Amino acid sequence: MRYDLHSHSHYSDGMLSPAELIAHAHAAGVEALALTDHDVTDGLPEARAAANQVGMRLIAGAEISVTWSGQTLHVVALGIDPDNAALQAGLARLRESRNQRAQEMAQRLARHGMDVLDEVHLRVRGPILSRTHFAHALVARGHARDLRDAFRRYLRRGSPGYAPCTWAAPEEAIAWIRAAGGLAVLAHPARYKLTSGKLLRLLDEFKAAGGHAIEVVSGSHSRDDALRFASLARKFDLFASCGSDFHGPGTWAGLGALPPLPPDCAPLWPQLGITGSA
Ligand code: AMP
Ligand code: MN
Ligand code: MN
Ligand code: MN
């Protein structure tokens, strides 16, 4: 079975509708896909209907924004009941923070002569505003060459359009996921660039708070990253997940184009009730 347990639709910062995403995944040979939009589950019914039509397995998910030790991390929720009240109350709070942050970002960019909020709103299809929407708007207005350039110049921490935001605490996000019957996965851990001491502390706390797995194979991981996180997953008795983090055609990660998990990992999918080998 070919799994991809991390992807986005236009309900968050992806470029495709859930139905288009399912069609792309199906064409790419993916047999089990998780839709994991940032802080929102509104795309799941449309994805579910499209997946049923082509006989693809859809895993209900979300990617929850978390603040840990002053840094933003992402926790992917898999196999959740999207109707769970605790989960939805938590996500609603994060969307509120997000949308306040977006106002702040728009003001900061405007002070630097970049009035992009109208352009941002043209691109928003769901209930959240993401830095990715700002990046697309900055490119469209000619302030940046491409998304990467927009993040580097204006949107990353320390640059003119960046506004800080306090997200959920890791233990809160994990508690919402568990309340909704899901599994909590630390997303793309290599992206956080943590010192080894901090990384060990994070994994220790993540495990103690009830986290289930880490993304060992990710669209943003090198093979060396995958080997390193496979060994850390074993050390902390965490399952191993794999996901492209697909946002759209022509972006940095392809759907389902993932190498296998390194040997000796305990794959997460049997815990989701998915059968078959990787
Ligand atoms: P936000 O959650 O609104 O702060 O936006 C974070 C999102 O921005 C991530 O989920 C990525 O999709 C995207 N992102 C972050 N850094 C970059 C980058 N350097 N190039 C392109 N996209 C990025
Ligand atoms: Mn994103
Ligand atoms: Mn992420
Ligand atoms: Mn993601």
Side-chain angles (χ1 to χ4, degrees):
M1 176 102 78
R2 281 179 74 183
Y3 308 89
D4 191 331
L5 300 179
H6 187 157
S7 71
H8 297 274
S9 78
H10 69 196
Y11 281 86
S12 65
D13 61 350
M15 293 162 69
L16 304 180
S17 70
E20 290 167 337
L21 174 70
I22 294 293
H24 268 70
H26 187 56
V30 175
E31 292 160 285
L33 180 78
L35 175 60
T36 55
D37 275 317
H38 296 285
D39 306 322
V40 62
T41 60
D42 296 7
L44 291 171
E46 183 186 327
R48 170 83 58 211
N52 286 345
Q53 277 196 354
V54 296
M56 189 190 295
R57 171 85 195 238
L58 178 80
I59 293 110
E63 184 174 11
I64 303 182
S65 308
V66 159
T67 300
W68 178 78
S69 203
Q71 190 159 354
T72 296
L73 310 177
H74 288 167
V75 175
V76 164
L78 296 175
I80 45 170
D81 167 13
D83 295 326
N84 179 267
L87 174 69
Q88 287 304 338
L91 297 183
R93 190 186 98 203
L94 296 181
R95 292 195 293 270
E96 180 89 21
S97 306
R98 250 186 192 286
N99 296 343
Q100 278 171 16
R101 177 193 66 158
Q103 296 306 319
E104 178 71 25
M105 285 173 58
Q107 283 164 18
R108 291 182 191 215
L109 288 169
R111 271 185 242 129
H112 284 81
M114 287 165 282
D115 229 332
V116 292
L117 199 53
D118 290 348
E119 196 74 45
V120 167
H121 279 291
L122 285 179
R123 289 171 166 72
V124 174
R125 298 280 182 286
I128 69 144
L129 279 85
S130 155
R131 280 188 293 163
T132 308
H133 295 118
F134 280 86
H136 282 290
L138 286 161
V139 172
R141 288 281 169 91
H143 298 299
R145 275 193 311 277
D146 53 26
L147 293 193
R148 199 189 173 84
D149 189 44
F151 271 91
R152 192 181 55 77
R153 290 162 74 130
Y154 303 115
L155 300 172
R156 70 178 176 188
R157 193 172 178 158
S159 54
Y162 181 83
C165 191
T166 302
W167 306 110
E171 58 275 16
E172 279 183 300
I174 293 168
W176 302 337
I177 295 166
R178 294 186 77 103
L183 303 174
V185 184
L186 182 67
H188 44 61
R191 287 247 294 266
Y192 310 131
K193 309 261 181 272
L194 298 170
T195 61
S196 62
K198 245 185 145 180
L199 177 61
L200 295 177
R201 183 161 69 84
L202 169 63
L203 293 175
D204 204 34
E205 290 181 23
F206 181 76
K207 174 75 182 178
H212 298 89
I214 57 183
E215 263 178 7
V216 166
V217 165
S218 159
S220 50
H221 280 182
S222 67
R223 198 61 188 162
D224 279 353
D225 293 332
L227 294 171
R228 174 161 165 251
F229 284 99
S231 136
L232 286 166
R234 282 197 298 278
K235 179 179 164 87
F236 285 89
D237 194 24
L238 289 160
F239 290 105
S241 187
C242 72
S244 63
D245 202 3
F246 178 78
H247 283 70
T251 57
W252 41 281
L255 261 175
L258 293 165
L261 287 179
D264 302 331
C265 283
L268 179 65
W269 27 99
Q271 309 305 308
L272 287 163
I274 310 172
T275 51
S277 61

